[in-house]
Amino acid sequence: MIGVSAGALTGMNYVSKQMGRTRDINIGFRDDKKYIGIEALKREHGLIGFDYLFNDISKKKNVFDYKAFKDSKQTFKAVITNCEKGITEYIDKNSCSEDEILKAVQASSSMPLCSKMVEFHDFHYLDGAVTNSIPINVPIDEGHKNILVVLTRDKNYRKPEVSKTMKRVYKKVYAKYPELIEKLNTIPDRYNQTKDYINKLEKEGRIIVVQPKKAVNVSRLEKDKKKLQDLYDDGVNDMKEKLEELKSIL
């Protein structure tokens, strides 16, 4: 199991076998401003309250089963972006402490401009999607034959070029991190190439892909809980349609 950005948070719950936990938190706590909103910004200098998520929510309100996660025989890797070097790093739960894997997942989920950088192993980190949005290269390089790719965008979706305005913002906000700026400005190129590669692999029958059938009308910090629930339901239905195909390789 390898997860990027929100996929890292979701992946943790998958490995701990807590079905529905991601949904329950993202919908159930959506109106809690300590989780997403102004209170999170005041307390944690980012629009998402990761300290609140990993402590108050995960230890008291909707408890994360860390023991089941750690003891699972499944591997789990979180994808993160090293801001100083502008490279992708992969953090394995079996090769680090609890604090380290939680920091890695936080870093993987820390969207540029919306979240503060996460200090980790003497470097600063942000969203793994900055350098590797869909890490299909990892299971292929490791020699895995039965690969399931779960995407949050439809087959035809491609990222538009980064606007001149956004490039100026990146240059100003991340002036100390030139390698990061270069990677931020070229996200669409890498993402679109990877989507084309995934479509090719799927057509050749080398991977199984689960993805939305239509364009997703949900923002990254969506407030409309009905939209979130509808998207979740769509995901469940799309997965059900792939079950028989999955059984053939599992």
Side-chain angles (χ1 to χ4, degrees), residues 169-187:
V169 172
Y170 288 150
K171 186 176 181 180
K172 182 175 182 180
V173 175
Y174 298 122
K176 295 180 180 179
Y177 305 92
E179 298 295 333
L180 174 66
I181 293 172
E182 192 276 329
K183 286 300 191 295
L184 286 167
N185 288 334
T186 54
I187 287 175

Side-chain angles (χ1 to χ4, degrees), residues 97-115:
S97 66
E98 177 178 354
D99 181 63
E100 287 174 321
I101 192 62
L102 293 180
K103 274 194 172 184
V105 171
Q106 177 181 342
S108 185
S109 310
S110 294
M111 294 182 291
L113 304 180
C114 294
S115 304

Side-chain angles (χ1 to χ4, degrees), residues 237-248:
N237 291 329
D238 289 339
M239 191 69 208
K240 285 179 178 178
E241 292 182 11
K242 293 285 184 174
L243 283 181
E244 291 306 315
E245 187 178 359
L246 278 172
K247 287 178 183 178
S248 70

Side-chain angles (χ1 to χ4, degrees), residues 2-250:
I2 181 165
V4 188
S5 199
L9 287 167
T10 303
M12 289 183 71
N13 297 323
Y14 176 73
V15 175
S16 69
K17 298 293 183 281
Q18 291 176 274
M19 188 169 72
R21 184 172 183 268
T22 299
R23 172 203 60 209
D24 294 343
I25 289 176
N26 286 336
I27 296 177
F29 290 88
R30 183 59 189 84
D31 295 333
D32 189 335
K33 291 181 172 54
K34 293 192 290 292
Y35 178 40
I36 301 176
I38 192 67
E39 284 300 315
L41 188 61
K42 289 178 181 178
R43 290 157 53 121
E44 303 188 34
H45 308 291
L47 289 174
I48 299 175
F50 287 108
D51 289 341
Y52 182 63
L53 170 63
F54 287 125
N55 289 292
D56 291 66
I57 294 178
S58 295
K59 293 181 180 179
K60 301 173 185 176
K61 299 180 179 181
N62 191 320
V63 178
F64 174 65
D65 191 343
Y66 183 80
K67 186 177 187 304
F69 170 75
K70 189 65 177 178
D71 291 347
S72 172
K73 293 181 180 179
Q74 285 182 292
T75 58
F76 172 86
K77 294 178 183 178
V79 183
I80 58 179
T81 294
N82 184 312
C83 298
E84 280 84 1
K85 297 181 179 180
I87 62 172
T88 311
E89 294 183 17
Y90 308 94
I91 308 301
D92 191 321
K93 78 174 174 72
N94 294 327
S95 303
C96 62
S97 66
E98 177 178 354
D99 181 63
E100 287 174 321
I101 192 62
L102 293 180
K103 274 194 172 184
V105 171
Q106 177 181 342
S108 185
S109 310
S110 294
M111 294 182 291
L113 304 180
C114 294
S115 304
K116 65 179 181 180
M117 292 179 176
V118 176
E119 293 186 41
F120 183 63
H121 289 172
D122 298 323
F123 290 98
H124 295 82
Y125 292 90
L126 281 175
D127 197 330
V130 173
T131 49
N132 196 353
S133 300
I134 314 170
I136 185 66
N137 59 297
V138 176
I140 288 179
D141 290 346
E142 291 178 350
H144 296 289
K145 302 300 181 184
N146 301 326
I147 302 172
L148 169 67
V149 180
V150 181
L151 302 177
T152 55
R153 295 287 189 174
D154 64 278
K155 191 168 189 172
N156 296 320
Y157 175 79
R158 295 295 182 277
K159 285 187 183 297
E161 289 186 12
V162 179
S163 68
K164 291 181 179 179
T165 299
M166 190 56 68
K167 286 182 178 180
R168 287 195 293 268
V169 172
Y170 288 150
K171 186 176 181 180
K172 182 175 182 180
V173 175
Y174 298 122
K176 295 180 180 179
Y177 305 92
E179 298 295 333
L180 174 66
I181 293 172
E182 192 276 329
K183 286 300 191 295
L184 286 167
N185 288 334
T186 54
I187 287 175
D189 295 336
R190 288 187 302 283
Y191 178 89
N192 295 338
Q193 288 172 7
T194 303
K195 280 295 291 284
D196 291 341
Y197 181 49
I198 284 174
N199 287 346
K200 176 177 178 291
L201 292 175
E202 183 185 27
K203 189 175 182 180
E204 293 172 352
R206 294 174 61 188
I207 62 174
I208 295 177
V209 181
V210 176
Q211 60 192 334
K213 292 187 178 66
K214 57 188 178 182
V216 173
N217 185 30
V218 173
S219 67
R220 292 186 178 186
L221 298 174
E222 183 61 60
K223 294 181 179 180
D224 188 330
K225 289 191 280 189
K226 184 180 184 306
K227 278 188 177 182
L228 292 172
Q229 183 64 54
D230 288 346
L231 183 63
Y232 177 86
D233 293 339
D234 285 345
V236 171
N237 291 329
D238 289 339
M239 191 69 208
K240 285 179 178 178
E241 292 182 11
K242 293 285 184 174
L243 283 181
E244 291 306 315
E245 187 178 359
L246 278 172
K247 287 178 183 178
S248 70
I249 68 169
L250 294 177

